[in-house]
């Protein structure tokens, strides 16, 4: 087989066979096919697309390029949730204990990652004593006994994806539905998920800013999952403004606790119910999405979800007293209000710009080496659609220094107040 023939085939709009796709991914992983040929193929795929069979083959070839995690020693259907990333997305912290309380095992592998705030692991480490250094055996027995545990990512998963993603980044081929969908799905499958729930975000703070693109990506990933034997569902959700009120590690833990107590922000609760219902349904805990949602609502009102969160914290060395006394979480020394400069309705809170303001405060990492301040972040006091009067606080800034003039300017630039505005629809679709 010659790589040049495969590039030509795809360039001319023909489909690649399973063997041809394997040849490319194996050859690329082992440095037998050079970057320039793979970038030419990526560009051909960008223009010519791939059919569902090619997309599934590409996904599996990337899974097979590295190690895979075997969760077969954990009983039950392991449902994993993946978000394409947004600002102040506190859903994982809520969903893990909520879904476990519904009887579905949550065997979560999580990363730190770059971004506006830390990853789920960083957020959990805001809980005094909480640690994720579990052996593989401890992890499995915790999930078997308690239905919930979180461990750091390890192992050389999907090396082909790592190489290809880096190459796409510098060859203007990131924005290709078959390439994005196979990239995300290969990582989930290699991590051992039996079933997958996807939260595909759309809007300013999302990777897929356009709603139609988000819908196409969601359908592509659901098709891949179902073709390779992993039941997959997706929610398309709005990320034009941050999710919930809290953006920052400690603040989001507190927001998750409020939500598990049934007192969280309406949008965060709505999304957690939409995603959680799919997780419970795919995990076999309910016969329909409606039945799953009823069950989750009950667990939020009868205190069982909150109780599960305490158990989870205790199991991993953390102090469960934070649930009843959030002042035990790291607290920023300064709280500074951002007063509205005009009357009206909040018509925009541009998610990515607000996320950057949180990062400037120290809530997230700009590079792998950056150190996060778990205590800092933003608490939104208003959301899009809310009325506001001059002088009322739009945002409370939790800072580790008194001078936050640059953060205030960023926030003013990201928040628009108009004569009228409506609350945006959060759940845009379900696949
Ligand atoms: N996220 C990924 O993991 N892969 C892509 O290709 C795009 C976004
Ligand atoms: Ca939030």
């Amino acid at each position: 087989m010659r790589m040049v023939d495969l590039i030509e085939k795809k360039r001319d709009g023909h489909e690649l066979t399973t063997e041809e796709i394997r040849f490319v991914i194996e050859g690329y992983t082992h440095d037998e096919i050079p970057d320039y040929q793979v970038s030419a193929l990526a560009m051909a795929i960008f223009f010519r697309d791939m059919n569902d069979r090619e997309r599934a083959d590409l996904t599996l070839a990337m899974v097979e390029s590295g190690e895979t995690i075997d969760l077969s020693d954990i009983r039950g259907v392991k449902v994993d949730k993946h978000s394409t990333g947004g600002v102040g997305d506190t859903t994982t912290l809520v969903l893990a204990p909520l879904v476990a309380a519904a009887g579905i095992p949550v065997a979560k592998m999580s990363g730190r990652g770059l971004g506006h705030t830390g990853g789920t692991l960083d957020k959990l480490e805001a809980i005094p004593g909480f640690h994720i250094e579990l052996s593989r055996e401890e992890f499995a027995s915790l999930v078997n006994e308690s239905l919930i545990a979180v461990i750091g990512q390890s192992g050389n998963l999907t090396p082909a994806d790592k190489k290809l993603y880096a190459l796409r980044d510098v060859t203007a081929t990131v924005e290709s539905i078959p390439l994005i969908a196979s990239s995300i799905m290969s990582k989930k499958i290699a991590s051992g998920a039996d079933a997958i729930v996807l939260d595909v975000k759309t809007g300013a703070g999302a990777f897929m800013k356009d709603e139609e693109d988000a819908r196409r990506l969601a359908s592509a990933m659901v098709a891949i999952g179902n073709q390779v034997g992993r039941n997959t569902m997706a929610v398309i959700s709005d990320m034009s403004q941050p999710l919930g009120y809290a953006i920052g590690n400690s603040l989001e833990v507190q927001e998750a606790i409020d939500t598990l107590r049934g007192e969280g922000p309406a949008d965060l609760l709505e999304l957690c119910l939409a995603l959680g219902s799919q997780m419970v349904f795919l995990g076999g805990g309910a016969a329909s999405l409606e039945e799953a949602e009823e069950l989750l609502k009950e667990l939020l009102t009868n205190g069982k979800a909150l109780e599960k969160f305490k158990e989870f914290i205790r199991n991993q060395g953390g102090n469960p007293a934070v649930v009843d006394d959030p002042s035990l979480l790291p607290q920023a020394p300064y709280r500074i209000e951002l007063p509205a400069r005009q009357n009206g309705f909040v018509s925009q809170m541009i998610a990515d710009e607000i996320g950057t303001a949180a990062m400037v405060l120290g809530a997230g990492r700009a590079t792998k080496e950056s150190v996060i301040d778990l205590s800092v972040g933003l608490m939104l006091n208003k959301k899009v659609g809310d009325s506001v009067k001059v002088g009322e606080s739009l945002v409370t800034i939790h800072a580790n220094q008194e001078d936050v003039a640059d953060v205030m300017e960023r926030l003013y630039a990201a928040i628009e107040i108009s004569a009228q505005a409506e609350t945006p629809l959060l759940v845009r679709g379900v696949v």
Side-chain angles (χ1 to χ4, degrees):
M1 222 178 278
R2 292 196 322 153
M3 182 65 182
V4 63
D5 299 328
L6 306 186
I7 299 169
E8 186 181 303
K9 200 172 172 189
K10 183 46 78 181
R11 182 200 67 193
D12 295 342
H14 303 295
E15 65 181 272
L16 300 178
T17 66
T18 305
E19 292 67 35
E20 286 166 344
I21 290 169
R22 283 231 179 96
F23 169 82
V24 173
I25 295 303
E26 275 180 31
Y28 191 45
T29 308
H30 298 112
D31 299 324
E32 289 153 14
I33 300 176
D35 279 348
Y36 54 83
Q37 286 190 310
V38 176
S39 41
L41 181 65
M43 191 58 86
I45 293 170
F46 178 93
F47 283 112
R48 292 296 195 171
D49 207 342
M50 287 180 127
N51 65 25
D52 282 350
R53 199 267 311 145
E54 289 176 291
R55 293 172 181 195
D57 284 341
L58 177 58
T59 305
L60 288 182
M62 292 205 289
V63 170
E64 285 157 16
S65 72
E67 291 171 38
T68 55
I69 292 172
D70 179 5
L71 297 178
S72 59
D73 52 347
I74 295 172
R75 287 186 295 275
V77 181
K78 275 74 69 183
V79 188
D80 200 1
K81 186 219 65 157
H82 176 81
S83 150
T84 58
V87 179
D89 185 357
T90 316
T91 54
T92 302
L93 290 178
V94 177
L95 283 170
L98 177 58
V99 168
I104 309 299
V106 176
K108 188 87 195 150
M109 266 162 245
S110 218
R112 295 183 192 282
L114 305 175
H116 304 120
T117 59
T120 299
L121 289 188
D122 297 297
K123 292 175 191 174
L124 286 168
E125 280 176 351
I127 299 167
F130 194 98
H131 71 92
I132 47 109
E133 285 82 27
L134 302 172
S135 70
R136 183 63 189 71
E137 291 69 34
E138 285 171 315
F139 177 65
S141 62
L142 273 183
V143 184
N144 280 330
E145 282 155 29
S146 192
L147 293 176
I148 180 169
V150 174
I151 191 172
Q153 254 148 12
S154 64
N156 180 25
L157 305 187
T158 62
D161 172 64
K162 291 192 184 86
K163 268 189 95 172
L164 186 56
Y165 198 5
L167 184 71
R168 288 164 54 212
D169 206 24
V170 293
T171 56
T173 48
V174 168
E175 296 86 353
S176 154
I177 297 276
L179 295 180
I180 301 169
S182 57
S183 167
I184 294 174
M185 291 301 284
S186 67
K187 286 176 276 218
K188 290 284 117 182
I189 293 165
S191 312
D194 298 319
I196 299 161
V197 169
L198 300 159
D199 180 12
V200 182
K201 312 274 195 191
T202 176
F207 177 72
M208 279 292 176
K209 308 229 179 299
D210 178 76
E211 188 170 331
E212 249 345 282
D213 287 342
R215 214 175 283 284
R216 285 168 55 225
L217 178 62
S219 302
M221 292 194 288
V222 169
I224 290 173
N226 293 332
Q227 274 197 63
V228 303
R230 297 334 198 259
N231 282 329
T232 302
M233 296 179 98
V235 171
I236 295 135
S237 70
D238 178 55
M239 196 25 92
S240 57
Q241 65 175 333
L243 187 64
Y245 300 120
I247 305 147
N249 299 280
S250 214
L251 297 172
E252 288 188 51
V253 170
Q254 191 169 331
E255 181 166 76
I257 293 167
D258 293 343
T259 306
L260 288 165
R261 191 177 270 125
E263 297 167 358
D267 61 344
L268 177 60
L269 174 66
E270 182 186 350
L271 187 56
C272 287
L273 289 174
L275 294 166
S277 303
Q278 293 189 340
M279 293 173 78
V280 170
F281 174 68
L282 291 180
S288 67
L289 290 176
E290 294 71 29
E291 189 185 314
E293 182 163 335
E294 283 317 305
L295 171 62
L296 295 178
K297 283 182 177 160
E298 197 180 306
L299 296 166
L300 290 171
T301 24
N302 67 13
K304 293 208 170 138
L306 200 59
E307 213 32 66
K308 186 54 86 177
F309 194 46
K310 283 189 191 167
E311 182 185 331
F312 169 48
I313 294 172
R314 204 180 300 116
N315 285 346
Q316 299 205 212
N319 181 3
V322 295
V323 168
D324 299 309
D325 182 4
S327 73
L328 295 171
L329 293 165
Q331 306 285 314
Y334 298 97
R335 290 185 190 191
I336 301 139
E337 305 300 335
L338 184 83
R341 298 195 279 209
Q342 63 194 99
N343 292 322
F345 291 86
V346 178
S347 52
Q348 277 214 78
M349 297 191 108
I350 304 170
D352 48 348
E353 294 180 16
I354 292 179
T356 304
M359 196 158 115
V360 169
L361 279 171
R365 286 186 187 86
T367 69
K368 271 189 223 161
E369 286 70 37
S370 321
V371 177
I372 286 186
D373 184 338
L374 296 169
S375 73
V376 303
L378 302 169
M379 281 301 292
L380 307 183
N381 298 313
K382 299 284 177 182
K383 300 266 314 202
V384 172
D386 289 349
S387 73
V388 59
K389 292 200 172 61
V390 171
E392 256 190 299
S393 176
L394 295 165
V395 180
T396 306
I397 302 166
H398 292 241
N400 53 20
Q401 59 182 67
E402 205 167 355
D403 179 9
V404 290
D406 57 335
V407 171
M408 292 177 83
E409 277 325 300
R410 279 176 187 278
L411 290 172
Y412 277 126
I415 300 173
E416 187 183 278
I417 296 173
S418 307
Q420 57 187 40
E422 278 174 32
T423 303
L425 187 64
L426 178 69
V427 174
R428 299 295 174 87
V430 169
V431 184

